[in-house]
């Protein structure tokens, strides 16, 4: 072996970060999703991000932006949380024997133990995955195999990911179009409609009812009795009650799991996003041993489901560190307290601004819904909505970003709902600054609602898109 001291690596990541930040857009334009590059440019969201810390992103000019999207909920602990990083560094130093595949390692076992310790009683077995969608795919397979039934029932507006199985239970046509045929046996009910669920389950052929406790698209909170009664209906008909807490889990709604708001005991529970500690993709399916053993029922079937990276040590370490930090820093309680404060500060906006129809939230999962103003403004609103649905919500998102350096996003295609998922470590001052910026942006948007329709549309387009990209559709949440 050559004994000379090692030179720099031929691809040196540290050097790349130091010298090539200015090429970011060009590289994406050339090799990645160039339509996204266009959209970001058209809206003026095309910053070059070079750093991140806590609830802030930092651009190449050194400007800090308050990140209220939190990577679609990945950054529950904030960006680059030191406590998680320290534990990851220790695992790297240890040089563990990750992924022997024909063999077992310790950290995934301890992670499963910690997850089960925090979950309600019927859940006592874990399957580790790499993402939210992979957790959903696994849940569909587990439910079908464990019950011997074909059908999955899900909700309108549901979002469970974009892989083909997850897409088959996605309640938003704009994501499904062009990708069919999707999985057979997947049927939709309105979110909150117990009669519709009762009708579907009565056929006794439904493997699972899959539902988000609070829907991410639009931040819809179900009627109080919906989830407990849905669970009861599932029990009665031998259907597995599957909760997708990929977004709502890990303190997001002010409880460790959103299911705690209703005392639910699901048969399947799906996690991902914030479980990663913001560093390493990871997901988990928690199931009852009865369901689990219904799938992995013989030695031959020990590999009935899984994936190459499912049990990797670094992901398990990130998840363990994330669970630890949630406890150690009291972030679940903090989410509840700041969530209550946010509602208290924003509810008056409904009275102060004609355009605001509702604010709603649970913990630090929060949304504001715009609607047509009273009087003449209503016709203007309807005209703009017909021409470009959801455009008016961008009247807030764009100035929040450009003027106030606050990153938010429209909560779904064609929705006039703006949603935030702030890191749970966000400071009270930052939260108050957001409310003040929102209030100012609403004041500025008000005259648009009262202008004549054509003028409003023109003003909105100029405000949002400038003259550069009239055809660019403003992006809505995609994950
Ligand atoms: C509730 C829910 N389930 C599943 C997913 C899919 O997760 P991923 O993007 O990691 O595949 C998401 C993503 O936003 C989600 O919000």
């Amino acid at each position: 072996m050559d004994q000379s001291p090692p030179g720099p690596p031929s691809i040196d990541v540290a050097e790349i970060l130091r010298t090539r930040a200015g090429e970011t857009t060009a590289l994406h334009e050339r090799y990645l999703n160039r339509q996204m590059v266009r959209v970001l440019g058209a809206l003026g969201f095309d910053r070059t991000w070079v750093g991140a810390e806590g609830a802030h992103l930092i651009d190449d000019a050194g400007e800090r932006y308050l990140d209220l999207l939190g990577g679609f909920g990945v950054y529950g602990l904030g960006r680059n949380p030191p406590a998680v990083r320290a534990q990851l560094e220790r695992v790297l130093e240890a040089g563990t024997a990750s992924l022997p595949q024909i063999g077992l390692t310790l950290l995934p076992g301890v992670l499963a133990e910690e997850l089960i310790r925090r979950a309600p009683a019927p859940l006592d077995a874990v399957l580790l995955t790499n993402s939210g969608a992979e957790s959903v795919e696994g849940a569909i397979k587990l439910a079908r195999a464990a019950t011997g039934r074909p059908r999955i029932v899900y909700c309108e507006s549901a979002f469970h990911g974009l892989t083909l199985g997850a897409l088959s239970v996605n309640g938003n046509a704009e994501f499904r179009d062009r990708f069919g045929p999707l999985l057979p046996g997947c049927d939709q009910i309105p979110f909150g409609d117990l009669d519709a669920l009762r009708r579907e389950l009565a056929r006794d052929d439904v493997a699972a009812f899959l539902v988000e406790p609070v829907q991410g698209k639009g931040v819809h909170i179900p009627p109080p009795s919906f989830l407990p009664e849905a669970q009861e209906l599932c029990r009665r008909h031998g259907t597995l009650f599957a909760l997708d807490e990929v977004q709502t889990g890990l303190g997001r709604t002010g409880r460790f799991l959103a299911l705690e708001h209703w005392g639910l005991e699901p048969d399947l529970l799906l996690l991902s996003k914030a479980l990663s500690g913001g560093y390493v993709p990871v997901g988990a399916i928690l199931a009852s041993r009865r369901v689990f053993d219904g799938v992995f029922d013989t030695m031959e079937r020990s590999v009935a489901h899984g994936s190459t990276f499912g049990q990797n040590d670094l992901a398990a370490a990130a998840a363990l560190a994330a669970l630890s930090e949630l406890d150690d820093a009291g972030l679940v309680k903090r989410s509840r307290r700041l969530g209550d404060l946010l509602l208290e500060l924003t509810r008056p906006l409904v009275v102060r601004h004609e355009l605001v129809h509702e604010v709603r939230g649970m913990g630090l999962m929060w949304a504001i819904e715009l609607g047509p103003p009273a009087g003449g403004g209503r016709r203007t609103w309807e005209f703009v909505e017909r021409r470009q649905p959801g455009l008016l919500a961008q009247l807030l998102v764009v100035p929040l970003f450009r003027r106030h350096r606050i990153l938010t996003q429209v909560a779904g295609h064609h929705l006039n709902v703006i949603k935030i998922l702030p890191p749970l470590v966000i400071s009270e001052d930052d939260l108050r600054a957001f409310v003040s910026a929102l209030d100012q942006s609403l004041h500025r948007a008000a005259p648009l609602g009262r202008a004549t329709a054509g003028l409003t549309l023109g003003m909105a387009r100029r405000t949002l898109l400038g003259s550069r990209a009239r055809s660019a559709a403003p992006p809505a949440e995609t994950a």
Side-chain angles (χ1 to χ4, degrees), residues 6 12 75 91 101 116 123 144 156 168 187 193 198 200 211 215 219 260 272 274 293 304 316 323 436 461 473:
D12 183 343
Y75 296 103
V91 176
Q101 308 296 10
I116 292 305
L123 302 171
R144 282 181 165 179
E156 275 171 20
S168 308
D187 294 295
D193 188 339
R198 205 172 279 118
E200 293 296 342
V211 62
Q215 286 192 324
V219 185
E260 294 165 31
S272 188
D293 289 350
L323 293 173
S436 158
R461 282 211 171 118

Side-chain angles (χ1 to χ4, degrees), residues 131-134 136 159-161 212 244 246-247 272-273 479:
S131 70
E134 195 189 315
V136 171
F159 190 91
H160 299 288
E212 300 152 88
D244 181 345
V246 165
Q247 188 163 137
S272 188
K273 291 201 191 260

Side-chain angles (χ1 to χ4, degrees), residues 413-435:
H413 289 73
H414 301 165
L415 291 183
N416 277 303
V417 179
I418 293 145
K419 165 185 168 184
I420 64 169
L421 294 173
L424 312 186
V425 296
I426 188 173
S427 72
E428 199 175 307
D429 283 352
D430 275 340
L431 213 53
R432 287 180 188 276
F434 162 64
V435 177

Side-chain angles (χ1 to χ4, degrees), residues 5-202:
S10 56
I11 298 176
D12 183 343
V13 176
E15 173 74 7
I16 290 170
L17 289 173
R18 222 174 15 252
T19 60
R20 296 188 62 186
E23 295 173 54
T24 304
T25 302
L27 287 165
H28 280 256
E29 166 78 28
R30 182 148 187 194
Y31 299 114
L32 296 160
N33 183 348
R34 63 178 54 159
Q35 296 301 345
M36 182 53 76
V37 173
R38 285 185 67 206
V39 170
L40 294 176
L43 291 175
F45 277 54
D46 49 351
R47 299 296 182 273
T48 297
W49 302 119
V50 298
E53 186 186 13
H56 294 92
L57 288 159
I58 302 160
D59 73 9
D60 56 351
E63 299 289 353
R64 293 175 83 88
Y65 287 70
L66 179 60
D67 170 23
L68 299 185
L69 265 186
F72 292 142
V74 166
Y75 296 103
L77 305 178
R79 290 175 177 267
N80 296 312
V84 179
R85 174 178 160 170
Q87 299 229 44
L88 289 177
E89 283 170 353
R90 264 172 242 144
V91 176
L92 288 172
E93 274 162 26
T96 63
S98 189
L99 297 172
Q101 308 296 10
I102 310 294
L104 310 171
T105 61
L106 176 63
L107 292 178
V110 178
L111 172 58
E113 181 183 63
E114 289 293 334
L115 289 171
I116 292 305
R117 213 159 63 74
R118 290 164 170 76
L123 302 171
D124 53 6
V126 178
L127 206 147
L128 294 173
T129 70
N130 303 284
S131 70
E134 195 189 315
S135 299
V136 171
E137 298 286 336
I140 293 171
K141 284 182 67 182
L142 260 58
R144 282 181 165 179
T147 61
R149 294 175 172 192
R151 295 177 62 220
I152 307 289
V153 172
Y154 65 98
C155 292
E156 275 171 20
S157 300
F159 190 91
H160 299 288
L162 295 178
T163 54
L164 215 51
L167 201 57
S168 308
V169 290
N170 187 312
N172 306 277
E174 64 275 9
F175 288 113
R176 300 163 63 105
D177 287 352
R178 301 187 301 149
F179 297 109
L182 301 176
L183 278 187
C186 297
D187 294 295
Q188 198 177 107
I189 62 160
F191 186 57
D193 188 339
L194 284 166
D195 287 336
L197 181 62
R198 205 172 279 118
R199 278 195 299 277
E200 293 296 342
L201 298 194

